[in-house]
Amino acid sequence: MQNNTFSGLFVGHNLITLKEVDSTNTFLKDAVSKSTPLLDGTVIMAEKQFAGRGQAENLWQSEAGKNLTFSILLNPSFLNVDGQFELNKAISIALNDVLIKYIPASAFIKWPNDLYIRTKKIGGMLIENIVQGNKIKYAIIGIGLNVNQEYFPTNLKNVTSLKQELHQDYDLMGLLGEICSAVEARYLQLKGGSLKKINDEYLNLLYLKDQWASFKFDGRIQNGKIIGITDIGQLILKTENETRVFNTNEIEFLN
Ligand code: BTN
């Protein structure tokens, strides 16, 4: 099914909704690899994903028809490969822009790009880049947001949804439209070169920034305080004895 009812300049103008797919990211990746002509800002949305993918090879579990599971295709060829975390920051802030309208003062970004309401995860994103030379030719921005789901499988700990927080149902298409507008605005801000503003906002929204908390690294539980992010998106943590830099697979949050 296709429609083009979204109000921004380009994100969501070409919206393809699927009843069921393995993963909207995989669908878009396959389409791009087959050189299917797709407009910048194309959105693939699925009512149900039967093999939704999360970060670190995890599955993304989402009750069919209750939540948002979609992917946006962008052509950020203005970004070098080593600038890919800039896009992560811009899109994370865009989602936070939408969440704070519903839940003011309680929405945060947990490094690198989980969406948190207080101490619980409400959504996440999986950004997959297709590189040509030194440039990002395509970015596939996969977004999962828990909206109307009330009950979660017991293996999913520390998760929430808009419904769990606010006790009402939300119109998925309306919310998708808001997210597309916010993504477009932040993407254009990035394209316009406002890197410092985006970086400052990302740091201001960072979950547990400047707070001592428990983390697991080097095989044991240790205290640390997040003090920043490197240019390529690594976490900078002050520990009791030193300042350390971590990649995503090297550290686990325990709070
Ligand atoms: C994470 O927090 O682990 C990232 C979750 C990303 C899930 C979304 S749902 C739509 C898109 N398709 C996928 O297979 N994954 C992303």
Side-chain angles (χ1 to χ4, degrees), residues 49 66 81 85 99 113-114 116-117 133 138 154 176 197 214 232 234 237 249 253:
Q49 291 187 125
K66 296 253 168 139
V81 180
F85 198 69
L99 287 173
N113 46 22
D114 282 349
Y116 260 48
I117 300 297
Y138 295 108
T154 49
L176 179 65
K197 187 169 172 13
S214 290
I232 57 167
Q234 297 154 307
L237 192 81
N249 52 353
F253 285 60

Side-chain angles (χ1 to χ4, degrees), residues 1-6 12 14-21 24 27 42-48 68-71 172-173 176:
M1 186 177 91
Q2 281 204 311
N3 72 36
N4 53 358
T5 55
F6 286 16
N14 184 32
L15 169 65
I16 300 170
T17 59
L18 306 170
K19 278 249 162 269
E20 195 173 335
V21 70
T24 54
F27 181 95
T42 290
V43 172
I44 309 291
M45 180 198 184
E47 282 177 31
K48 176 180 176 182
L68 282 174
T69 48
F70 64 101
S71 303
L172 294 179
M173 273 301 162
L176 179 65

Side-chain angles (χ1 to χ4, degrees), residues 67 81 88 122 184 196 215-217 230 247:
N67 302 309
V81 180
N88 281 54
I122 194 165
E184 182 173 296
K196 182 170 179 338
F215 298 87
K216 189 170 177 193
F217 52 91
T230 68
N247 294 308

Side-chain angles (χ1 to χ4, degrees), residues 5-13 15 41 43 68 70 72 74 90-91 93-99 101-102 143 172-190:
T5 55
F6 286 16
S7 59
L9 294 173
F10 67 105
V11 176
H13 276 213
L15 169 65
V43 172
L68 282 174
F70 64 101
I72 306 173
L74 293 173
I91 307 295
I93 300 170
L95 285 155
N96 195 275
D97 289 340
V98 175
L99 287 173
K101 285 195 222 153
Y102 291 85
I143 296 170
L172 294 179
M173 273 301 162
L175 203 51
L176 179 65
E178 286 181 48
I179 293 173
C180 287
S181 301
V183 165
E184 182 173 296
R186 290 295 184 173
Y187 180 69
L188 293 177
Q189 192 177 38
L190 175 67

Side-chain angles (χ1 to χ4, degrees), residues 23-25 49 52-55 60 70 114 121 124-125 142-144:
S23 146
T24 54
N25 265 39
Q49 291 187 125
R53 296 187 286 115
Q55 290 165 35
W60 183 254
F70 64 101
D114 282 349
K121 181 164 172 168
M125 66 195 78
I143 296 170

